Amino acid sequence: MLMRVLFSNMKRAGIFLSTALLLSCSTSQPLLHEEIVQKALPGVLIPPKFIGDDSGFAPQTPTDWLEQLQDPELKTLIHEALGSSPDMRAFAARIEQSEAMVQAINSSFYPSVGATAKEGAKLGLGGSGTSGFYVGAGWEVDLWGRVRAQNESARKSAQAIVFEQESAQLSLIANLTKTLWTARSLSMQLLIAQDIAQSSVALLQYVKHRQKIGIASRNEVQMAQANLALAQEAVENARTSYQKTLMALDMLVGRYPVGTALKSQALPGIPNAYAKGLPSELLERRPDILAAALRLDAARLNIDEAKTARLPKISLSAGFGLIKSSVFVLSTSAANPSLGIGLDVPLFTAGALDQKVKMREAEMDLAYANYAKIGLAAFNEVETALLLEKNWRVRSAELEKAYAIQVLQLSSLEKEQKIGRIDGRAIEQQKATVLGALSKLEQSKLEILVQRINVYLALGGPAQLIEKEKK
């Protein structure tokens, strides 16, 4: 009799469940890249190539630029920073948190099982006279795809965090690279400032000597003294800037900011021209844009979840229990198997469920706006970096010409000094001019390298770069 009832209940539950599954609907389709771009940037005409790209190269993803630079100290610092930077540790914790959330939501796909047991004494002041146990299981039938939408949304959000971490890692690598090179350039600027100060000392000595023999005025001496003071101030400023940059480098690596000395003071050579790729490819390559696209897809799934929350929920339950009683003179016991179907219908919620749908739709509009903002910023970053690199290349070429002319002028003055036509004042003044031209030239070389890193960062960089440095 018991088995017949149980079988009958199971049969009815199976028929009901089969019908429900046939009627159930799936979540909406994932957003396509073209659809996202069209809705997020409806009035933006994306050009076939970057405006600042006049290289003429075929489109392709940037190669591993760290390998091209051949800077062992830089690679060592990047490896250390990726392992100890507080920002990177925070992202790692966020990824673990998101993965745990996905696993927690995944559990909704499986039945929940629980058990209770009780042992009771005979009737008395504190006894109930009953004892037994019950094992039960419950499962929500994902009839309309609500649980699937919730699960997929969490998974998309977790993937977005991974891409956001990759974007942060690329930013860290780029900032660390620029800071290291700035420190090296400042070490060169410090040496140049010290040489200018030495020339100012020598020039002051010449002017004082000329004053002694009556061919220089006190005003000339004071002018030379003022120039020396300015040169010495420039030395201190260069020294402080160099030390501050070393401290900033320590912070990026994850060290206490003591200003750790560099192993190399030389800047790498300027890399050769490279292919920038197409503007349309940028939206499919940069990790922050990929993260924004995943956030959009998660918002779509959140709308699905909110809509299905307005529909009935179906749940199945099954259990088995055994109860013993000593209430009567003769002890009794009974088995209690059960199988049930639950229906939860939201009849009246004062509009709360509809408002939740509107809230989720507003969140998706916000996600589209965020995607557009990140995409336009990406285009601007690439174009700006290309423009500035081109500008600094032209300026550097002119500064190199000016430096070469000043060096030739110094050589000519030194020849005139040998034949007695001029004294040492003109030589020291020209040395200071040459060093000033050298300072500007070195700064221009740094700016070209910095803008090249800005281009690499704006283009997104190859994913294998990070994985390689993490090993």
Side-chain angles (χ1 to χ4, degrees), residues 153-176:
S153 176
R155 190 172 63 85
K156 297 287 185 182
S157 297
Q159 291 175 342
I161 293 176
V162 173
F163 278 116
E164 288 167 352
Q165 182 196 37
E166 184 175 324
S167 179
Q169 287 173 330
L170 286 171
S171 295
L172 174 62
I173 291 173
N175 288 336
L176 195 151

mmCIF file with all atom_site columns, all heavy atoms in Angstrom, residues 153-176:
data_model
loop_
_atom_site.group_PDB
_atom_site.id
_atom_site.type_symbol
_atom_site.label_atom_id
_atom_site.label_alt_id
_atom_site.label_comp_id
_atom_site.label_asym_id
_atom_site.label_entity_id
_atom_site.label_seq_id
_atom_site.pdbx_PDB_ins_code
_atom_site.Cartn_x
_atom_site.Cartn_y
_atom_site.Cartn_z
_atom_site.occupancy
_atom_site.B_iso_or_equiv
_atom_site.pdbx_formal_charge
_atom_site.auth_seq_id
_atom_site.auth_comp_id
_atom_site.auth_asym_id
_atom_site.auth_atom_id
_atom_site.pdbx_PDB_model_num
ATOM 1   N N   . SER A 1 153 ? 24.726 35.481 -14.695 1.00 0.00 ? 153 SER A N   1
ATOM 2   C CA  . SER A 1 153 ? 25.089 36.852 -14.344 1.00 0.00 ? 153 SER A CA  1
ATOM 3   C C   . SER A 1 153 ? 26.293 36.878 -13.409 1.00 0.00 ? 153 SER A C   1
ATOM 4   O O   . SER A 1 153 ? 27.215 37.679 -13.589 1.00 0.00 ? 153 SER A O   1
ATOM 5   C CB  . SER A 1 153 ? 23.897 37.558 -13.689 1.00 0.00 ? 153 SER A CB  1
ATOM 6   O OG  . SER A 1 153 ? 24.256 38.857 -13.265 1.00 0.00 ? 153 SER A OG  1
ATOM 7   N N   . ALA A 1 154 ? 26.278 36.004 -12.422 1.00 0.00 ? 154 ALA A N   1
ATOM 8   C CA  . ALA A 1 154 ? 27.406 35.934 -11.497 1.00 0.00 ? 154 ALA A CA  1
ATOM 9   C C   . ALA A 1 154 ? 28.680 35.506 -12.223 1.00 0.00 ? 154 ALA A C   1
ATOM 10  O O   . ALA A 1 154 ? 29.778 36.018 -11.944 1.00 0.00 ? 154 ALA A O   1
ATOM 11  C CB  . ALA A 1 154 ? 27.086 34.961 -10.365 1.00 0.00 ? 154 ALA A CB  1
ATOM 12  N N   . ARG A 1 155 ? 28.528 34.578 -13.166 1.00 0.00 ? 155 ARG A N   1
ATOM 13  C CA  . ARG A 1 155 ? 29.706 34.108 -13.905 1.00 0.00 ? 155 ARG A CA  1
ATOM 14  C C   . ARG A 1 155 ? 30.266 35.220 -14.793 1.00 0.00 ? 155 ARG A C   1
ATOM 15  O O   . ARG A 1 155 ? 31.481 35.393 -14.883 1.00 0.00 ? 155 ARG A O   1
ATOM 16  C CB  . ARG A 1 155 ? 29.330 32.898 -14.749 1.00 0.00 ? 155 ARG A CB  1
ATOM 17  C CG  . ARG A 1 155 ? 30.507 32.166 -15.367 1.00 0.00 ? 155 ARG A CG  1
ATOM 18  C CD  . ARG A 1 155 ? 30.074 30.863 -16.023 1.00 0.00 ? 155 ARG A CD  1
ATOM 19  N NE  . ARG A 1 155 ? 29.163 31.123 -17.133 1.00 0.00 ? 155 ARG A NE  1
ATOM 20  C CZ  . ARG A 1 155 ? 29.576 31.416 -18.374 1.00 0.00 ? 155 ARG A CZ  1
ATOM 21  N NH1 . ARG A 1 155 ? 30.881 31.496 -18.642 1.00 0.00 ? 155 ARG A NH1 1
ATOM 22  N NH2 . ARG A 1 155 ? 28.713 31.641 -19.333 1.00 0.00 ? 155 ARG A NH2 1
ATOM 23  N N   . LYS A 1 156 ? 29.388 35.984 -15.442 1.00 0.00 ? 156 LYS A N   1
ATOM 24  C CA  . LYS A 1 156 ? 29.852 37.098 -16.270 1.00 0.00 ? 156 LYS A CA  1
ATOM 25  C C   . LYS A 1 156 ? 30.558 38.155 -15.416 1.00 0.00 ? 156 LYS A C   1
ATOM 26  O O   . LYS A 1 156 ? 31.596 38.704 -15.820 1.00 0.00 ? 156 LYS A O   1
ATOM 27  C CB  . LYS A 1 156 ? 28.666 37.741 -16.993 1.00 0.00 ? 156 LYS A CB  1
ATOM 28  C CG  . LYS A 1 156 ? 27.937 36.847 -17.974 1.00 0.00 ? 156 LYS A CG  1
ATOM 29  C CD  . LYS A 1 156 ? 28.717 36.602 -19.229 1.00 0.00 ? 156 LYS A CD  1
ATOM 30  C CE  . LYS A 1 156 ? 27.890 35.805 -20.241 1.00 0.00 ? 156 LYS A CE  1
ATOM 31  N NZ  . LYS A 1 156 ? 28.651 35.504 -21.469 1.00 0.00 ? 156 LYS A NZ  1
ATOM 32  N N   . SER A 1 157 ? 30.006 38.434 -14.249 1.00 0.00 ? 157 SER A N   1
ATOM 33  C CA  . SER A 1 157 ? 30.630 39.416 -13.358 1.00 0.00 ? 157 SER A CA  1
ATOM 34  C C   . SER A 1 157 ? 32.002 38.940 -12.897 1.00 0.00 ? 157 SER A C   1
ATOM 35  O O   . SER A 1 157 ? 32.940 39.744 -12.789 1.00 0.00 ? 157 SER A O   1
ATOM 36  C CB  . SER A 1 157 ? 29.723 39.676 -12.152 1.00 0.00 ? 157 SER A CB  1
ATOM 37  O OG  . SER A 1 157 ? 28.488 40.251 -12.551 1.00 0.00 ? 157 SER A OG  1
ATOM 38  N N   . ALA A 1 158 ? 32.121 37.641 -12.636 1.00 0.00 ? 158 ALA A N   1
ATOM 39  C CA  . ALA A 1 158 ? 33.413 37.093 -12.222 1.00 0.00 ? 158 ALA A CA  1
ATOM 40  C C   . ALA A 1 158 ? 34.433 37.210 -13.353 1.00 0.00 ? 158 ALA A C   1
ATOM 41  O O   . ALA A 1 158 ? 35.603 37.554 -13.127 1.00 0.00 ? 158 ALA A O   1
ATOM 42  C CB  . ALA A 1 158 ? 33.253 35.633 -11.798 1.00 0.00 ? 158 ALA A CB  1
ATOM 43  N N   . GLN A 1 159 ? 34.004 36.950 -14.588 1.00 0.00 ? 159 GLN A N   1
ATOM 44  C CA  . GLN A 1 159 ? 34.900 37.100 -15.733 1.00 0.00 ? 159 GLN A CA  1
ATOM 45  C C   . GLN A 1 159 ? 35.305 38.561 -15.922 1.00 0.00 ? 159 GLN A C   1
ATOM 46  O O   . GLN A 1 159 ? 36.451 38.860 -16.287 1.00 0.00 ? 159 GLN A O   1
ATOM 47  C CB  . GLN A 1 159 ? 34.221 36.571 -16.993 1.00 0.00 ? 159 GLN A CB  1
ATOM 48  C CG  . GLN A 1 159 ? 34.027 35.064 -17.013 1.00 0.00 ? 159 GLN A CG  1
ATOM 49  C CD  . GLN A 1 159 ? 33.232 34.596 -18.222 1.00 0.00 ? 159 GLN A CD  1
ATOM 50  O OE1 . GLN A 1 159 ? 32.550 35.386 -18.868 1.00 0.00 ? 159 GLN A OE1 1
ATOM 51  N NE2 . GLN A 1 159 ? 33.323 33.313 -18.531 1.00 0.00 ? 159 GLN A NE2 1
ATOM 52  N N   . ALA A 1 160 ? 34.370 39.476 -15.669 1.00 0.00 ? 160 ALA A N   1
ATOM 53  C CA  . ALA A 1 160 ? 34.681 40.899 -15.798 1.00 0.00 ? 160 ALA A CA  1
ATOM 54  C C   . ALA A 1 160 ? 35.771 41.308 -14.812 1.00 0.00 ? 160 ALA A C   1
ATOM 55  O O   . ALA A 1 160 ? 36.658 42.097 -15.137 1.00 0.00 ? 160 ALA A O   1
ATOM 56  C CB  . ALA A 1 160 ? 33.423 41.737 -15.578 1.00 0.00 ? 160 ALA A CB  1
ATOM 57  N N   . ILE A 1 161 ? 35.713 40.767 -13.603 1.00 0.00 ? 161 ILE A N   1
ATOM 58  C CA  . ILE A 1 161 ? 36.735 41.095 -12.598 1.00 0.00 ? 161 ILE A CA  1
ATOM 59  C C   . ILE A 1 161 ? 38.108 40.604 -13.051 1.00 0.00 ? 161 ILE A C   1
ATOM 60  O O   . ILE A 1 161 ? 39.129 41.268 -12.835 1.00 0.00 ? 161 ILE A O   1
ATOM 61  C CB  . ILE A 1 161 ? 36.355 40.487 -11.237 1.00 0.00 ? 161 ILE A CB  1
ATOM 62  C CG1 . ILE A 1 161 ? 35.103 41.179 -10.688 1.00 0.00 ? 161 ILE A CG1 1
ATOM 63  C CG2 . ILE A 1 161 ? 37.497 40.624 -10.234 1.00 0.00 ? 161 ILE A CG2 1
ATOM 64  C CD1 . ILE A 1 161 ? 34.585 40.585 -9.405  1.00 0.00 ? 161 ILE A CD1 1
ATOM 65  N N   . VAL A 1 162 ? 38.145 39.448 -13.709 1.00 0.00 ? 162 VAL A N   1
ATOM 66  C CA  . VAL A 1 162 ? 39.420 38.925 -14.223 1.00 0.00 ? 162 VAL A CA  1
ATOM 67  C C   . VAL A 1 162 ? 39.999 39.889 -15.258 1.00 0.00 ? 162 VAL A C   1
ATOM 68  O O   . VAL A 1 162 ? 41.201 40.210 -15.232 1.00 0.00 ? 162 VAL A O   1
ATOM 69  C CB  . VAL A 1 162 ? 39.227 37.525 -14.834 1.00 0.00 ? 162 VAL A CB  1
ATOM 70  C CG1 . VAL A 1 162 ? 40.513 37.065 -15.528 1.00 0.00 ? 162 VAL A CG1 1
ATOM 71  C CG2 . VAL A 1 162 ? 38.841 36.525 -13.753 1.00 0.00 ? 162 VAL A CG2 1
ATOM 72  N N   . PHE A 1 163 ? 39.151 40.386 -16.170 1.00 0.00 ? 163 PHE A N   1
ATOM 73  C CA  . PHE A 1 163 ? 39.641 41.338 -17.172 1.00 0.00 ? 163 PHE A CA  1
ATOM 74  C C   . PHE A 1 163 ? 40.026 42.671 -16.528 1.00 0.00 ? 163 PHE A C   1
ATOM 75  O O   . PHE A 1 163 ? 40.977 43.325 -16.978 1.00 0.00 ? 163 PHE A O   1
ATOM 76  C CB  . PHE A 1 163 ? 38.569 41.565 -18.240 1.00 0.00 ? 163 PHE A CB  1
ATOM 77  C CG  . PHE A 1 163 ? 38.533 40.493 -19.294 1.00 0.00 ? 163 PHE A CG  1
ATOM 78  C CD1 . PHE A 1 163 ? 37.417 39.689 -19.447 1.00 0.00 ? 163 PHE A CD1 1
ATOM 79  C CD2 . PHE A 1 163 ? 39.616 40.272 -20.135 1.00 0.00 ? 163 PHE A CD2 1
ATOM 80  C CE1 . PHE A 1 163 ? 37.370 38.700 -20.411 1.00 0.00 ? 163 PHE A CE1 1
ATOM 81  C CE2 . PHE A 1 163 ? 39.591 39.283 -21.103 1.00 0.00 ? 163 PHE A CE2 1
ATOM 82  C CZ  . PHE A 1 163 ? 38.460 38.492 -21.243 1.00 0.00 ? 163 PHE A CZ  1
ATOM 83  N N   . GLU A 1 164 ? 39.302 43.079 -15.503 1.00 0.00 ? 164 GLU A N   1
ATOM 84  C CA  . GLU A 1 164 ? 39.666 44.311 -14.796 1.00 0.00 ? 164 GLU A CA  1
ATOM 85  C C   . GLU A 1 164 ? 41.011 44.149 -14.104 1.00 0.00 ? 164 GLU A C   1
ATOM 86  O O   . GLU A 1 164 ? 41.806 45.097 -14.047 1.00 0.00 ? 164 GLU A O   1
ATOM 87  C CB  . GLU A 1 164 ? 38.578 44.663 -13.787 1.00 0.00 ? 164 GLU A CB  1
ATOM 88  C CG  . GLU A 1 164 ? 37.301 45.179 -14.439 1.00 0.00 ? 164 GLU A CG  1
ATOM 89  C CD  . GLU A 1 164 ? 36.130 45.244 -13.490 1.00 0.00 ? 164 GLU A CD  1
ATOM 90  O OE1 . GLU A 1 164 ? 36.247 44.740 -12.350 1.00 0.00 ? 164 GLU A OE1 1
ATOM 91  O OE2 . GLU A 1 164 ? 35.075 45.788 -13.878 1.00 0.00 ? 164 GLU A OE2 1
ATOM 92  N N   . GLN A 1 165 ? 41.268 42.957 -13.595 1.00 0.00 ? 165 GLN A N   1
ATOM 93  C CA  . GLN A 1 165 ? 42.580 42.703 -13.000 1.00 0.00 ? 165 GLN A CA  1
ATOM 94  C C   . GLN A 1 165 ? 43.666 42.782 -14.066 1.00 0.00 ? 165 GLN A C   1
ATOM 95  O O   . GLN A 1 165 ? 44.738 43.344 -13.847 1.00 0.00 ? 165 GLN A O   1
ATOM 96  C CB  . GLN A 1 165 ? 42.614 41.341 -12.323 1.00 0.00 ? 165 GLN A CB  1
ATOM 97  C CG  . GLN A 1 165 ? 43.954 41.063 -11.640 1.00 0.00 ? 165 GLN A CG  1
ATOM 98  C CD  . GLN A 1 165 ? 44.155 39.601 -11.313 1.00 0.00 ? 165 GLN A CD  1
ATOM 99  O OE1 . GLN A 1 165 ? 43.748 38.725 -12.069 1.00 0.00 ? 165 GLN A OE1 1
ATOM 100 N NE2 . GLN A 1 165 ? 44.797 39.318 -10.185 1.00 0.00 ? 165 GLN A NE2 1
ATOM 101 N N   . GLU A 1 166 ? 43.388 42.210 -15.239 1.00 0.00 ? 166 GLU A N   1
ATOM 102 C CA  . GLU A 1 166 ? 44.371 42.261 -16.318 1.00 0.00 ? 166 GLU A CA  1
ATOM 103 C C   . GLU A 1 166 ? 44.646 43.703 -16.734 1.00 0.00 ? 166 GLU A C   1
ATOM 104 O O   . GLU A 1 166 ? 45.796 44.084 -16.986 1.00 0.00 ? 166 GLU A O   1
ATOM 105 C CB  . GLU A 1 166 ? 43.863 41.455 -17.518 1.00 0.00 ? 166 GLU A CB  1
ATOM 106 C CG  . GLU A 1 166 ? 44.862 41.369 -18.655 1.00 0.00 ? 166 GLU A CG  1
ATOM 107 C CD  . GLU A 1 166 ? 44.382 40.474 -19.774 1.00 0.00 ? 166 GLU A CD  1
ATOM 108 O OE1 . GLU A 1 166 ? 43.730 39.456 -19.486 1.00 0.00 ? 166 GLU A OE1 1
ATOM 109 O OE2 . GLU A 1 166 ? 44.675 40.789 -20.949 1.00 0.00 ? 166 GLU A OE2 1
ATOM 110 N N   . SER A 1 167 ? 43.592 44.524 -16.785 1.00 0.00 ? 167 SER A N   1
ATOM 111 C CA  . SER A 1 167 ? 43.770 45.937 -17.115 1.00 0.00 ? 167 SER A CA  1
ATOM 112 C C   . SER A 1 167 ? 44.611 46.641 -16.059 1.00 0.00 ? 167 SER A C   1
ATOM 113 O O   . SER A 1 167 ? 45.494 47.442 -16.387 1.00 0.00 ? 167 SER A O   1
ATOM 114 C CB  . SER A 1 167 ? 42.399 46.615 -17.234 1.00 0.00 ? 167 SER A CB  1
ATOM 115 O OG  . SER A 1 167 ? 42.537 47.985 -17.531 1.00 0.00 ? 167 SER A OG  1
ATOM 116 N N   . ALA A 1 168 ? 44.348 46.329 -14.788 1.00 0.00 ? 168 ALA A N   1
ATOM 117 C CA  . ALA A 1 168 ? 45.136 46.934 -13.702 1.00 0.00 ? 168 ALA A CA  1
ATOM 118 C C   . ALA A 1 168 ? 46.592 46.479 -13.767 1.00 0.00 ? 168 ALA A C   1
ATOM 119 O O   . ALA A 1 168 ? 47.514 47.263 -13.491 1.00 0.00 ? 168 ALA A O   1
ATOM 120 C CB  . ALA A 1 168 ? 44.523 46.564 -12.352 1.00 0.00 ? 168 ALA A CB  1
ATOM 121 N N   . GLN A 1 169 ? 46.816 45.230 -14.138 1.00 0.00 ? 169 GLN A N   1
ATOM 122 C CA  . GLN A 1 169 ? 48.184 44.732 -14.257 1.00 0.00 ? 169 GLN A CA  1
ATOM 123 C C   . GLN A 1 169 ? 48.927 45.433 -15.383 1.00 0.00 ? 169 GLN A C   1
ATOM 124 O O   . GLN A 1 169 ? 50.097 45.802 -15.235 1.00 0.00 ? 169 GLN A O   1
ATOM 125 C CB  . GLN A 1 169 ? 48.159 43.216 -14.490 1.00 0.00 ? 169 GLN A CB  1
ATOM 126 C CG  . GLN A 1 169 ? 47.780 42.422 -13.253 1.00 0.00 ? 169 GLN A CG  1
ATOM 127 C CD  . GLN A 1 169 ? 47.607 40.950 -13.551 1.00 0.00 ? 169 GLN A CD  1
ATOM 128 O OE1 . GLN A 1 169 ? 47.222 40.561 -14.645 1.00 0.00 ? 169 GLN A OE1 1
ATOM 129 N NE2 . GLN A 1 169 ? 47.871 40.113 -12.571 1.00 0.00 ? 169 GLN A NE2 1
ATOM 130 N N   . LEU A 1 170 ? 48.243 45.627 -16.514 1.00 0.00 ? 170 LEU A N   1
ATOM 131 C CA  . LEU A 1 170 ? 48.870 46.346 -17.617 1.00 0.00 ? 170 LEU A CA  1
ATOM 132 C C   . LEU A 1 170 ? 49.200 47.783 -17.214 1.00 0.00 ? 170 LEU A C   1
ATOM 133 O O   . LEU A 1 170 ? 50.258 48.316 -17.561 1.00 0.00 ? 170 LEU A O   1
ATOM 134 C CB  . LEU A 1 170 ? 47.944 46.343 -18.835 1.00 0.00 ? 170 LEU A CB  1
ATOM 135 C CG  . LEU A 1 170 ? 47.835 45.014 -19.588 1.00 0.00 ? 170 LEU A CG  1
ATOM 136 C CD1 . LEU A 1 170 ? 46.722 45.083 -20.626 1.00 0.00 ? 170 LEU A CD1 1
ATOM 137 C CD2 . LEU A 1 170 ? 49.149 44.658 -20.257 1.00 0.00 ? 170 LEU A CD2 1
ATOM 138 N N   . SER A 1 171 ? 48.293 48.420 -16.482 1.00 0.00 ? 171 SER A N   1
ATOM 139 C CA  . SER A 1 171 ? 48.546 49.787 -16.010 1.00 0.00 ? 171 SER A CA  1
ATOM 140 C C   . SER A 1 171 ? 49.734 49.812 -15.052 1.00 0.00 ? 171 SER A C   1
ATOM 141 O O   . SER A 1 171 ? 50.574 50.723 -15.108 1.00 0.00 ? 171 SER A O   1
ATOM 142 C CB  . SER A 1 171 ? 47.301 50.346 -15.311 1.00 0.00 ? 171 SER A CB  1
ATOM 143 O OG  . SER A 1 171 ? 46.233 50.480 -16.211 1.00 0.00 ? 171 SER A OG  1
ATOM 144 N N   . LEU A 1 172 ? 49.808 48.813 -14.181 1.00 0.00 ? 172 LEU A N   1
ATOM 145 C CA  . LEU A 1 172 ? 50.933 48.745 -13.243 1.00 0.00 ? 172 LEU A CA  1
ATOM 146 C C   . LEU A 1 172 ? 52.247 48.571 -13.994 1.00 0.00 ? 172 LEU A C   1
ATOM 147 O O   . LEU A 1 172 ? 53.248 49.242 -13.695 1.00 0.00 ? 172 LEU A O   1
ATOM 148 C CB  . LEU A 1 172 ? 50.717 47.585 -12.270 1.00 0.00 ? 172 LEU A CB  1
ATOM 149 C CG  . LEU A 1 172 ? 51.880 47.297 -11.304 1.00 0.00 ? 172 LEU A CG  1
ATOM 150 C CD1 . LEU A 1 172 ? 52.136 48.501 -10.400 1.00 0.00 ? 172 LEU A CD1 1
ATOM 151 C CD2 . LEU A 1 172 ? 51.589 46.054 -10.473 1.00 0.00 ? 172 LEU A CD2 1
ATOM 152 N N   . ILE A 1 173 ? 52.253 47.667 -14.994 1.00 0.00 ? 173 ILE A N   1
ATOM 153 C CA  . ILE A 1 173 ? 53.474 47.444 -15.771 1.00 0.00 ? 173 ILE A CA  1
ATOM 154 C C   . ILE A 1 173 ? 53.885 48.723 -16.499 1.00 0.00 ? 173 ILE A C   1
ATOM 155 O O   . ILE A 1 173 ? 55.065 49.096 -16.502 1.00 0.00 ? 173 ILE A O   1
ATOM 156 C CB  . ILE A 1 173 ? 53.253 46.293 -16.777 1.00 0.00 ? 173 ILE A CB  1
ATOM 157 C CG1 . ILE A 1 173 ? 53.116 44.962 -16.032 1.00 0.00 ? 173 ILE A CG1 1
ATOM 158 C CG2 . ILE A 1 173 ? 54.405 46.209 -17.773 1.00 0.00 ? 173 ILE A CG2 1
ATOM 159 C CD1 . ILE A 1 173 ? 52.730 43.798 -16.913 1.00 0.00 ? 173 ILE A CD1 1
ATOM 160 N N   . ALA A 1 174 ? 52.907 49.406 -17.104 1.00 0.00 ? 174 ALA A N   1
ATOM 161 C CA  . ALA A 1 174 ? 53.217 50.634 -17.838 1.00 0.00 ? 174 ALA A CA  1
ATOM 162 C C   . ALA A 1 174 ? 53.721 51.726 -16.899 1.00 0.00 ? 174 ALA A C   1
ATOM 163 O O   . ALA A 1 174 ? 54.719 52.406 -17.195 1.00 0.00 ? 174 ALA A O   1
ATOM 164 C CB  . ALA A 1 174 ? 51.975 51.112 -18.594 1.00 0.00 ? 174 ALA A CB  1
ATOM 165 N N   . ASN A 1 175 ? 53.061 51.931 -15.765 1.00 0.00 ? 175 ASN A N   1
ATOM 166 C CA  . ASN A 1 175 ? 53.482 52.971 -14.819 1.00 0.00 ? 175 ASN A CA  1
ATOM 167 C C   . ASN A 1 175 ? 54.854 52.666 -14.242 1.00 0.00 ? 175 ASN A C   1
ATOM 168 O O   . ASN A 1 175 ? 55.676 53.574 -14.061 1.00 0.00 ? 175 ASN A O   1
ATOM 169 C CB  . ASN A 1 175 ? 52.454 53.089 -13.691 1.00 0.00 ? 175 ASN A CB  1
ATOM 170 C CG  . ASN A 1 175 ? 51.162 53.720 -14.161 1.00 0.00 ? 175 ASN A CG  1
ATOM 171 O OD1 . ASN A 1 175 ? 51.149 54.456 -15.138 1.00 0.00 ? 175 ASN A OD1 1
ATOM 172 N ND2 . ASN A 1 175 ? 50.067 53.441 -13.467 1.00 0.00 ? 175 ASN A ND2 1
ATOM 173 N N   . LEU A 1 176 ? 55.090 51.396 -13.947 1.00 0.00 ? 176 LEU A N   1
ATOM 174 C CA  . LEU A 1 176 ? 56.395 51.025 -13.405 1.00 0.00 ? 176 LEU A CA  1
ATOM 175 C C   . LEU A 1 176 ? 57.487 51.269 -14.443 1.00 0.00 ? 176 LEU A C   1
ATOM 176 O O   . LEU A 1 176 ? 58.571 51.768 -14.113 1.00 0.00 ? 176 LEU A O   1
ATOM 177 C CB  . LEU A 1 176 ? 56.366 49.550 -12.985 1.00 0.00 ? 176 LEU A CB  1
ATOM 178 C CG  . LEU A 1 176 ? 57.506 49.054 -12.087 1.00 0.00 ? 176 LEU A CG  1
ATOM 179 C CD1 . LEU A 1 176 ? 57.022 47.912 -11.204 1.00 0.00 ? 176 LEU A CD1 1
ATOM 180 C CD2 . LEU A 1 176 ? 58.693 48.589 -12.895 1.00 0.00 ? 176 LEU A CD2 1
#
